[in-house]
Amino acid sequence: MKRSDSTNQPPPGQQGQVGRSGQRFRAVISNPSYRRLWGIGLTSTTMRWMETVALGIFVFELTGSPFWVAMTGFLRMMPMLILSPTIGLIADRTNRKVLMGSTMAALSVVYVVMGLLVATGHVELWHILVGVTFSGIMWSTDFPVRRAMIGDAVGAGGISTAIGMDMATSNFSRVIGPLGAGAFLATLGVQAAYFTGSVLFAIGALLAFSLPHVAPVSAPGLRSGYFANLAEGFRHVRADRIIVITLIITIVMNVFGFPYQHMVPVIGAETLKIGPLLIGLLLAVEGMGATTAALIIALKARPGGYTKIYGFGSLAALAAIVAFSLSPSYWMALPALLIGGFSMAGFATMQSIIIITSTPAAIRGRVLGVLAAMIGTGPIGALLIGGLAVLWGASNAVTALAVTGLVLTIIPLAIWPGFLRSSVDPGESSAGIVTEGER
């Protein structure tokens, strides 16, 4: 069944361009709305990774406890779990650019206040925890708002290229963000990271407000009730097996995989015996691997390979995390994270592409909100890894969670191996998503 909404078609004059990589790239990058959304992603993700490393090191130095390091990750991710479905519904029915711009402007002000508290010597742990919670609120808007706007801007024909490029940029921010955090902590202090974040979020707010307004797409028979519309997004998710498997793996990765990032500063200081700059370099190397893989995906990925990249990328990423946690030296940890970053790009890039291409534009914000809520299960992993790190040590905690994640990822792929043979056709609705064996 063909999708009827016009946003799922390539822009006029570009229908013949989407077949080849270079032409798709030029078509996407020439889109002014996409360039603004790309810039917003660059500013916000750079600060996210700078904050992750800077506050991880700063809080560990302040408290000496890996639990409180993990707690910063918990509070950064919790708003995604609680707020994302609601934000997705709001994004489907209101002006998305105002929602995104207002959130980033508010966070810019919060970071100025945090920087001043640190600079004047008045900062306390609870200030930091409140600050990361506000940061988490901003991040919870990325999937249901900014990613939905990317889908609207480029159409289904350019979505793999657009999301791949966006993820490559996001992953590159994992290079410059951690390196910047390490450099700031070694010289100017954590207040420099906060002030830099304030500037970055202000730039993002200006870019958001400069976007053209796109009226929400109304779905046939759309009901006006809040819970009725929210339930519609969940019904679409439940009815599509590919989306269900994608969300299951998303939960596993965020509970058992990604929490290791909160422990990198602890493992660096306790096990590898390195300083802030080399700790930043560890996560930067991971970002280099992810950037390379995301660029390859942006240029080469085809609908028939989306689920393969997603499934095998998830498995390889978890295996690399296990290798990192068992590394006895810094020089063994570096290549493990390089491979891990390369593999994680397959998971992270395909995650959004599969959901966007499987969902009609009229309810895309709601379904992306469900995805963001699944990503928001990360706080559970942050608490788990923080508690286990206190009991067993940070390295052992990472090993335990990553091995568990490997097992829990293999199970759904073994139960339904057709997922890895699935072909997601961006020109069709979710009803047209079939496996090769079902054609």
Side-chain angles (χ1 to χ4, degrees):
M1 181 177 68
K2 295 292 181 183
R3 291 179 180 170
S4 59
D5 53 278
S6 60
T7 56
N8 283 330
Q9 300 301 322
Q14 294 179 4
Q15 285 87 346
Q17 295 180 350
V18 297
R20 289 184 291 180
S21 300
Q23 291 173 321
R24 285 205 315 273
F25 177 83
R26 288 191 294 272
V28 169
I29 204 66
S30 64
N31 186 312
S33 292
Y34 176 75
R35 289 199 299 268
R36 288 180 175 85
L37 291 165
W38 173 86
I40 293 168
L42 174 62
T43 57
S44 62
T45 53
T46 296
M47 188 55 215
R48 181 194 184 202
W49 288 104
M50 186 181 298
E51 181 188 67
T52 297
V53 176
L55 291 188
I57 297 172
F58 184 71
V59 170
F60 189 61
E61 291 176 347
L62 186 67
T63 66
S65 170
F67 174 79
W68 286 112
V69 176
M71 182 58 70
T72 62
F74 173 84
L75 293 175
R76 185 184 292 109
M77 294 296 294
M78 181 54 71
M80 291 188 74
L81 177 62
I82 297 173
L83 300 177
S84 291
T86 301
I87 292 173
L89 173 58
I90 294 171
D92 278 341
R93 308 186 71 182
T94 60
N95 191 324
R96 288 171 176 165
K97 75 168 189 176
V98 172
L99 179 61
M100 183 166 51
S102 299
T103 304
M104 299 192 80
L107 198 55
S108 178
V109 174
V110 170
Y111 273 46
V112 168
V113 173
M114 292 299 301
L116 291 174
L117 286 172
V118 175
T120 57
H122 291 96
V123 71
E124 298 180 16
L125 180 61
W126 73 268
H127 294 137
I128 295 171
L129 299 181
V130 170
V132 296
T133 302
F134 273 100
S135 177
I137 292 172
M138 185 284 300
W139 193 247
S140 67
T141 68
D142 188 72
F143 277 84
V145 181
R146 193 178 69 86
R147 295 286 173 89
M149 293 175 75
I150 288 176
D152 292 342
V154 303
I159 193 64
S160 64
T161 299
I163 295 295
M165 290 166 54
D166 186 68
M167 286 305 303
T169 304
S170 173
N171 290 324
F172 183 68
S173 73
R174 292 163 62 181
V175 178
I176 57 178
L179 286 177
F184 282 146
L185 287 175
T187 54
L188 301 175
V190 74
Q191 64 267 30
Y194 275 126
F195 289 137
T196 301
S198 178
V199 173
L200 290 175
F201 285 124
I203 293 171
L206 291 173
L207 288 172
F209 286 123
S210 71
L211 283 163
H213 172 60
V214 177
V217 178
S218 297
L222 184 67
R223 289 171 286 180
S224 59
Y226 169 82
F227 290 105
N229 281 287
L230 195 60
E232 186 174 349
F234 283 100
R235 278 197 303 273
H236 180 81
V237 167
R238 190 173 61 248
D240 192 312
R241 194 183 301 181
I242 288 180
I243 295 181
V244 170
I245 299 296
T246 300
L247 294 181
I248 289 172
I249 295 176
T250 292
I251 295 172
V252 172
M253 288 294 290
N254 281 277
V255 174
F256 299 99
F258 290 119
Y260 94 93
Q261 293 166 341
H262 305 304
M263 290 297 106
V264 171
V266 181
I267 292 173
E270 287 188 339
T271 304
L272 304 178
K273 308 298 182 183
I274 55 177
L277 194 58
L278 291 181
I279 291 173
L281 183 60
L282 268 179
L283 284 173
V285 164
E286 180 200 78
M288 289 172 61
T291 301
T292 303
L295 286 172
I296 293 172
I297 290 170
L299 295 174
K300 301 296 183 181
R302 296 293 182 271
Y306 288 174
T307 54
K308 290 186 185 72
I309 296 171
Y310 183 77
F312 290 126
S314 301
L315 292 171
L318 289 164
I321 294 170
V322 173
F324 164 73
S325 67
L326 297 176
S327 298
S329 72
Y330 181 74
W331 300 110
M332 293 181 68
L334 276 175
L337 287 189
L338 179 67
I339 295 170
F342 192 93
S343 305
M344 285 175 195
F347 161 81
T349 306
M350 288 299 113
Q351 179 188 62
S352 296
I353 291 172
I354 291 170
I355 298 298
I356 290 173
T357 54
S358 302
T359 308
I363 61 170
R364 191 172 287 154
R366 269 158 283 185
V367 177
L368 284 168
V370 175
L371 170 62
M374 300 304 99
I375 295 171
T377 57
I380 299 171
L383 288 182
L384 277 174
I385 205 164
L388 291 176
V390 171
L391 295 174
W392 299 343
S395 294
N396 291 333
V398 171
T399 303
L401 257 67
V403 169
T404 303
L406 267 173
V407 173
L408 293 178
T409 301
I410 291 170
I411 289 173
L413 295 178
I415 292 174
W416 194 55
F419 176 82
L420 296 174
R421 299 191 301 272
S422 300
S423 178
V424 183
D425 186 347
E428 300 183 4
S429 68
S430 59
I433 300 174
V434 299
T435 64
E436 292 174 0
E438 295 168 344
R439 286 192 184 276

